[in-house]
Amino acid sequence: FLNHSNSKMKTATVICAAIAVGSASAFSPMTESCRVATNLAAKAKAEPPAKKKTIFTTIAEMDLFAPNADVNDYGSRKKKNLKNGVLSGKSYVPDGLSKAQYEKIRKNEVTKKEANYQRNVKKAGVFMDYTDFYIKRGTDTKDDWIRTVTRGHDMAKTKFDWSGATTEVDKLPESFIAGGKKKKGRK
């Protein structure tokens, strides 16, 4: 009775050992052939794959003005072929004006617009030196500038004299002139 069970146990142990050795060899690295490596048989080294750019990087690196880099620089309007349209026989002309009068008005508007643009181009890139402002304000030597009405700020000029000190009525808005335009509607 003991002999028979012992032989079964030995058989099971041998089978388990064979399975363990077989499965262990399945996961062991493959041995290459015994051939000596030469330059002719050498594998070419694969180059690392190129790093792909993200969508954000691609968009951020775009140069939308590459064909014409200074197209948006201030003052580049003179390089562009901008001109006012020519009035034809079917063009709109306001009532009470002849075609020649209307063309003259349009030409004057274009001239005025261009003069204003050139005036602004001349001001581009001109800045106040902060050091000069600082010294003029007196911040470098005294601290009474903070107690002034403007607290050390430069105030912008306005088109009209709002203080009422001048009597130049023609420069004031109509609402300030006695007998100016009256409001429409009920009282």
Side-chain angles (χ1 to χ4, degrees), residues 74-115:
Y74 207 55
S76 66
R77 192 184 285 184
K78 65 183 175 202
K79 297 176 189 171
K80 299 176 184 178
N81 188 18
L82 300 174
K83 54 187 172 185
N84 217 3
V86 179
L87 295 177
S88 67
K90 295 182 179 181
S91 295
Y92 169 78
V93 177
D95 278 342
L97 294 177
S98 69
K99 185 177 172 183
Q101 289 172 328
Y102 188 51
E103 283 176 341
K104 183 179 178 186
I105 290 172
R106 285 169 38 117
K107 182 182 173 194
N108 288 342
E109 286 175 355
V110 169
T111 307
K112 190 174 166 183
K113 185 177 176 183
E114 182 60 28

Side-chain angles (χ1 to χ4, degrees), residues 103-173:
E103 283 176 341
K104 183 179 178 186
I105 290 172
R106 285 169 38 117
K107 182 182 173 194
N108 288 342
E109 286 175 355
V110 169
T111 307
K112 190 174 166 183
K113 185 177 176 183
E114 182 60 28
N116 186 48
Y117 182 76
Q118 291 306 323
R119 182 178 58 88
N120 288 327
V121 167
K122 288 176 188 170
K123 291 193 290 185
V126 178
F127 301 101
M128 173 192 244
D129 183 16
Y130 184 72
T131 309
D132 294 341
F133 166 75
Y134 192 74
I135 292 168
K136 178 181 152 200
R137 183 170 76 172
T139 312
D140 61 331
T141 56
K142 51 191 182 285
D143 63 352
D144 61 347
W145 58 270
I146 195 70
R147 290 184 288 279
T148 63
V149 175
T150 61
R151 294 199 140 217
H153 294 280
D154 281 344
M155 293 300 174
K157 293 180 181 177
T158 60
K159 187 174 181 180
F160 306 108
D161 177 18
W162 299 102
S163 68
T166 55
T167 56
E168 296 175 355
V169 177
D170 59 329
K171 292 187 177 179
L172 291 173

Side-chain angles (χ1 to χ4, degrees), residues 7-72:
S7 68
K8 278 186 179 178
M9 193 179 266
K10 287 181 184 177
T11 309
T13 303
V14 169
I15 291 172
C16 282
I19 290 173
V21 169
S23 64
S25 66
F27 293 105
S28 66
M30 300 289 286
T31 57
E32 292 190 24
S33 62
C34 299
R35 187 171 154 187
V36 177
T38 64
N39 286 339
L40 296 174
K43 291 183 181 178
K45 288 186 180 179
E47 292 186 25
K51 188 176 178 182
K52 283 190 170 183
K53 291 182 180 180
T54 63
I55 291 174
F56 176 78
T57 305
T58 305
I59 293 171
E61 290 178 352
M62 284 182 167
D63 188 2
L64 301 176
F65 299 109
N68 192 359
D70 62 346
V71 70
N72 275 350

